[in-house]
Amino acid sequence: MRSSLLYFSFFLFVFSGCSHLVPTYNKRVATLEHLISAKGLKKEIVLTRYFNLFSVHIDLLKCKDSTANVYIEGDGLSWITSHIPSNNPTPIDPIALKLALKDKNPCTIYIARPCQYTNSNSCKTDVWTNKRFSIEVIKSYNEALDKIKKRYKISSYKLFGYSGGGAVATILAAKRSDISYLITICGNLDTAYWTKLHHISPLKGSLNPADFSKELTKIKQLHLIGKKDKIVPFAVFKSYLDKFNNRKNIEYKLFNEFNHHCCWVEDWTKILKMIKR
């Protein structure tokens, strides 16, 4: 499958043709360790039928009957170059994690994508390439959320999905009854339109969030988009929005100076205050 040099990783521009410069898996894990050090956070591998999902959170025992904020990571280092897939998708710059760390809600949970920060026999390259939004991936998140909800007696979830994590969050919202709010940041909400836009192969084996407009009609949604985002531009959201007959629960905000990477982390505290209004 031919993939996009653009897809969800700024570093593909930097390292294309220079794959020897890509940080090793251990260095990428060390980046996470540095970010969460001295914050009293718990690392946990949530075991599911298909994939083991890496998560970070505080002690959730105090979250009984509360709404938890769940942040889902982007695609990470899916590709080394436009033709060479990575051997592990652990992100170089874990933006969703950085956003979660700025969220003051004590009931905040970060969940990485399959095979990020983990290795197992189920980690094949198609999991983070053409099957990154597969039925099995979504079932894994559903199972993980069910386990967390049962263990800590959480009442509902707000889903925050960055980039490809926005696609995962949106599909999850369509399939669950306990999602109070769906927020995406640079979300790839119509993957079929996106692949056509960038003239790349369809994501065979993946679900498309835009195909779930009927189920999503009743879900409260906010989609945050960078006007300068050339990786997942506004047109992708517009294609998603056009699938809805009833749009009363869908809001979006366009940030004029933002792109796919800047300046979400820097302004996230201010953006969260806006969301809470």
Side-chain angles (χ1 to χ4, degrees):
M1 183 189 109
R2 193 167 68 88
S3 179
S4 171
L5 189 60
L6 299 170
Y7 197 74
F8 300 147
S9 178
F10 166 81
F11 294 93
L12 292 188
F13 292 108
V14 178
F15 295 122
S16 181
C18 303
S19 59
H20 62 286
L21 297 177
V22 175
T24 64
Y25 169 74
N26 288 337
K27 287 182 178 179
R28 284 175 272 152
V29 172
T31 296
L32 175 134
E33 297 288 354
H34 175 73
L35 288 168
I36 68 174
S37 62
K39 292 183 180 294
L41 297 171
K42 178 182 178 182
K43 295 182 292 183
E44 181 180 0
I45 303 293
V46 184
L47 305 180
T48 76
R49 177 182 176 185
Y50 295 102
F51 303 104
N52 299 332
L53 300 176
F54 176 85
S55 69
V56 174
H57 55 79
I58 62 166
D59 184 359
L60 297 173
L61 291 174
K62 298 179 181 180
C63 297
K64 181 180 178 181
D65 299 325
S66 298
T67 296
N69 291 353
V70 174
Y71 286 76
I72 301 176
E73 189 58 81
D75 287 356
L77 187 65
S78 297
W79 294 82
I80 301 298
T81 73
S82 59
H83 299 284
I84 303 173
S86 170
N87 61 8
N88 183 284
T90 295
I92 297 171
D93 185 20
I95 289 180
L97 173 63
K98 292 179 178 180
L99 297 178
L101 294 177
K102 284 181 169 282
D103 194 326
K104 301 303 182 184
N105 181 352
C107 301
T108 296
I109 307 164
Y110 166 80
I111 305 180
R113 300 283 289 284
C115 306
Q116 293 180 353
Y117 305 104
T118 64
N119 279 300
S120 71
N121 291 334
S122 61
C123 290
K124 312 295 184 184
T125 55
D126 62 352
V127 173
W128 52 88
T129 55
N130 58 301
K131 293 184 178 179
R132 64 191 75 182
F133 312 128
S134 69
I135 292 173
E136 291 78 14
V137 167
I138 300 304
K139 285 183 176 180
S140 291
Y141 278 96
N142 261 324
E143 186 177 341
L145 292 179
D146 286 344
K147 284 187 173 183
I148 293 169
K149 183 178 182 180
K150 182 178 180 180
R151 185 185 313 162
Y152 299 106
K153 297 180 172 56
I154 290 169
S155 62
S156 61
Y157 292 110
K158 287 183 182 178
L159 297 182
F160 294 79
Y162 169 72
S163 195
V168 173
T170 302
I171 298 168
L172 282 171
K175 292 181 173 293
R176 298 184 66 89
S177 60
D178 56 359
I179 306 304
S180 64
Y181 205 172
L182 167 66
I183 299 102
T184 70
I185 307 97
C186 307
N188 189 353
L189 302 177
D190 189 341
T191 57
Y193 179 88
W194 180 84
T195 55
K196 291 179 181 177
L197 181 69
H198 288 303
H199 307 291
I200 58 177
S201 302
L203 299 181
K204 292 181 179 179
S206 285
L207 300 173
N208 183 1
D211 292 338
F212 295 91
S213 57
K214 181 178 178 180
E215 295 88 341
L216 289 162
T217 296
K218 295 182 180 180
I219 299 292
K220 184 180 179 184
Q221 306 174 43
L222 174 62
H223 304 284
L224 308 176
I225 305 151
K227 190 173 182 179
K228 294 183 178 180
D229 191 344
K230 295 182 179 180
I231 299 174
V232 186
F234 176 79
V236 175
F237 167 73
K238 181 62 166 57
S239 180
Y240 167 82
L241 185 65
D242 287 345
K243 303 294 191 299
F244 288 81
N245 294 321
N246 184 343
R247 304 174 185 177
K248 68 176 183 178
N249 287 320
I250 304 176
E251 294 183 272
Y252 73 90
K253 182 169 177 58
L254 198 60
F255 292 79
N256 290 334
E257 299 303 317
F258 288 36
N259 59 33
H260 200 68
H261 306 277
C262 178
C263 305
W264 302 105
V265 175
E266 296 86 341
D267 284 15
W268 191 242
T269 300
K270 182 169 61 177
I271 293 170
L272 279 177
K273 290 178 180 178
M274 176 198 76
I275 293 174
K276 292 175 182 178
R277 290 174 185 171

